[in-house]
Amino acid sequence: MSQHDSRPVGIFVHHQGRGHAERCAALANALVQYRPVTIFCARADIFPDLQSGIDVVTIPSLFEAQEREAPRLAAMPTPETLHCAPLGWHAISDAVATLTGWFARARPALFITDVSAEIGQLCRIASVPHIAVLQHGDRDDPAHRASYDGAAALLAPYHPMLEQPGRPEALRAKTIHAPGLGIDLLNPDPDARSRIRAPEGRELVVVIAGGGGQGTPTAPLTLGARAEPDTHWIVIGGTFSEWHETPPGNLELRGWVDNPQDHIAAADRIVSSCGNTTVHQVMQTGKPWIAIPEWRYFAEQERKAEALAAAGLCASQPTWPSDAAGWARLWDRARQADPGKGRTLVGGDAAPLAARRIDALARELWEGAAPIEATDKDFAA
């Protein structure tokens, strides 16, 4: 292996929601077969098992204040080419110093950002080629475009059929699609229903709330469950309720569970938010599915829900049904979806294929580069 082939890969990972950490771990475990990997994140305890040769460096959060900030600095306007870049946050200064110090010592082959437009631009300024993870949403603003245009490639953790319309061709041309990156493949499991202790002899609706926000409102779920007294509804994940609700007896709130896959496998019908992990798990089942987006920055879940519905995988609308008739209409549309298409859009080999393409890109980009200086070799080996 030539010296430039041994250059490491760095990954910045947002610590909100579990999807970023899961796809980072899957990709890192595949990439480390080719070269060392260093992960930078505000939390080190969110990752699944990582293989030898992968380091995790904890950096201060770029998004959460850690001390008393100066009000005048906090009130200064943000340039349109940035999203989250408050002034006077020493934690951000420390995080950037850690990253740029590693850039200088390790001489990385590539740096992957999941996700931060600012870190992507920092890489470009520091002369480090970067790959930006591409998410659904309204991301044609100057800050996203600056990061995407400056990237050596984009990494989309979904199938090209789920690409949203209007993505510029120049971005599509440099996108590496990795459908279901970090998502376990699910198989039919006849014992799942007994493992989750679901009532026998009744149709089961499983509602999956997302993990990146405040949770799913239970008020509309009371309407859906009450309209189907012979059906049992189980809700997993975070929820919030209002004082005026009258929950029916066939609605069960279980909160966070250790076995969401069992609940998905046991369900006859599914209602979910539109986080990346959740939708890739559900779309494999071919079961009637209603997808309701939660609020996220840049309308991420709204655009993902639209892409899923356009592909014929589910029924969706921007807000929760407000009466029994609204639920009935959605279920009618959900039953008309193509039950087999979803499984074809999730690949079990997403991580190794993506890692292979990323390593090949690194080799291509650094072809003809001068050897790494002697003082840098220990950091790049």
Side-chain angles (χ1 to χ4, degrees), residues 192-198 204 206 234 254 259 262-263 266:
R193 192 176 182 111
S194 61
R195 282 202 302 276
I196 69 167
R197 303 181 307 281
L204 177 63
V206 170
I234 294 177
R254 293 193 174 182
N259 57 342
D262 286 340
H263 286 75

Side-chain angles (χ1 to χ4, degrees), residues 223-281:
L223 300 174
R226 188 177 295 281
E228 302 181 341
D230 295 328
T231 299
H232 192 72
W233 287 48
I234 294 177
V235 185
I236 61 174
T239 60
F240 65 93
S241 303
E242 302 184 55
W243 66 269
H244 49 73
E245 297 179 26
T246 54
N250 62 329
L251 178 65
E252 182 182 352
L253 306 181
R254 293 193 174 182
W256 297 109
V257 298
D258 294 330
N259 57 342
Q261 295 89 344
D262 286 340
H263 286 75
I264 293 172
D268 296 303
R269 291 180 274 145
I270 298 173
V271 181
S272 81
S273 59
C274 300
N276 194 63
T277 298
T278 297
V279 301
H280 278 89
Q281 289 177 328

Side-chain angles (χ1 to χ4, degrees), residues 6-361:
S6 66
R7 293 173 183 266
V9 169
I11 308 175
F12 166 79
V13 188
H14 199 314
H15 58 285
Q16 180 190 31
R18 69 185 190 274
H20 301 287
E22 289 172 345
R23 66 175 169 241
C24 171
L27 183 60
N29 284 334
L31 271 172
V32 79
Q33 310 302 318
Y34 299 96
R35 54 186 74 237
V37 178
T38 298
I39 297 170
F40 297 86
C41 187
R43 289 180 56 184
D45 62 343
I46 61 175
F47 299 100
D49 292 340
L50 298 171
Q51 295 187 17
S52 175
I54 301 173
D55 294 325
V56 179
V57 176
T58 303
I59 59 173
S61 173
L62 304 175
F63 314 101
E64 300 165 275
Q66 296 186 358
E67 55 193 59
R68 182 178 177 183
E69 282 73 37
R72 179 71 178 271
L73 287 173
M76 293 190 70
T78 301
E80 64 178 8
T81 52
L82 301 170
H83 292 144
C84 182
L87 292 174
W89 284 30
H90 300 313
I92 293 180
S93 300
D94 292 342
V96 169
T98 298
L99 290 169
T100 55
W102 185 79
F103 292 165
R105 296 191 305 272
R107 306 297 194 217
L110 288 165
F111 195 87
I112 301 169
T113 57
D114 186 8
V115 285
S116 169
E118 288 77 21
I119 298 300
Q121 294 178 68
L122 176 68
C123 290
R124 185 61 189 249
I125 293 169
S127 199
V128 173
H130 82 280
I131 296 176
V133 170
L134 186 62
Q135 301 184 118
H136 287 87
D138 299 331
R139 301 182 189 274
D140 57 352
D141 59 280
H144 275 114
R145 288 301 302 271
S147 179
Y148 295 163
D149 290 346
L154 305 175
L155 178 62
Y158 51 83
H159 195 278
M161 282 190 62
L162 297 180
E163 188 58 87
Q164 65 190 61
R167 195 83 78 183
E169 182 56 36
L171 299 186
R172 288 175 178 262
K174 63 179 181 180
T175 298
I176 300 170
H177 285 92
L181 178 62
I183 312 300
D184 293 332
L185 293 182
L186 304 180
N187 295 309
D189 187 347
D191 298 324
R193 192 176 182 111
S194 61
R195 282 202 302 276
I196 69 167
R197 303 181 307 281
E200 295 295 334
R202 303 180 70 183
E203 191 174 21
L204 177 63
V205 173
V206 170
V207 182
I208 309 166
Q214 65 177 339
T216 291
T218 57
L221 304 183
T222 66
L223 300 174
R226 188 177 295 281
E228 302 181 341
D230 295 328
T231 299
H232 192 72
W233 287 48
I234 294 177
V235 185
I236 61 174
T239 60
F240 65 93
S241 303
E242 302 184 55
W243 66 269
H244 49 73
E245 297 179 26
T246 54
N250 62 329
L251 178 65
E252 182 182 352
L253 306 181
R254 293 193 174 182
W256 297 109
V257 298
D258 294 330
N259 57 342
Q261 295 89 344
D262 286 340
H263 286 75
I264 293 172
D268 296 303
R269 291 180 274 145
I270 298 173
V271 181
S272 81
S273 59
C274 300
N276 194 63
T277 298
T278 297
V279 301
H280 278 89
Q281 289 177 328
V282 176
M283 73 168 65
Q284 300 176 53
T285 68
K287 298 173 181 179
W289 174 23
I290 294 174
I292 304 293
E294 293 183 354
W295 184 92
R296 291 293 184 274
Y297 290 104
F298 306 105
E300 176 187 338
Q301 290 205 8
E302 287 93 329
R303 299 294 88 80
K304 189 187 298 292
E306 291 168 0
L308 293 167
L313 302 178
C314 66
S316 182
Q317 64 183 36
T319 58
W320 287 97
S322 58
D323 54 31
W327 276 107
R329 286 191 296 270
L330 276 177
W331 283 124
D332 286 343
R333 286 160 47 196
R335 292 185 179 96
Q336 296 170 13
D338 185 343
K341 183 187 295 185
R343 183 173 288 272
T344 68
L345 305 185
V346 183
D349 54 356
L353 289 178
R356 193 177 309 140
R357 292 190 61 182
I358 290 170
D359 179 67
L361 176 64

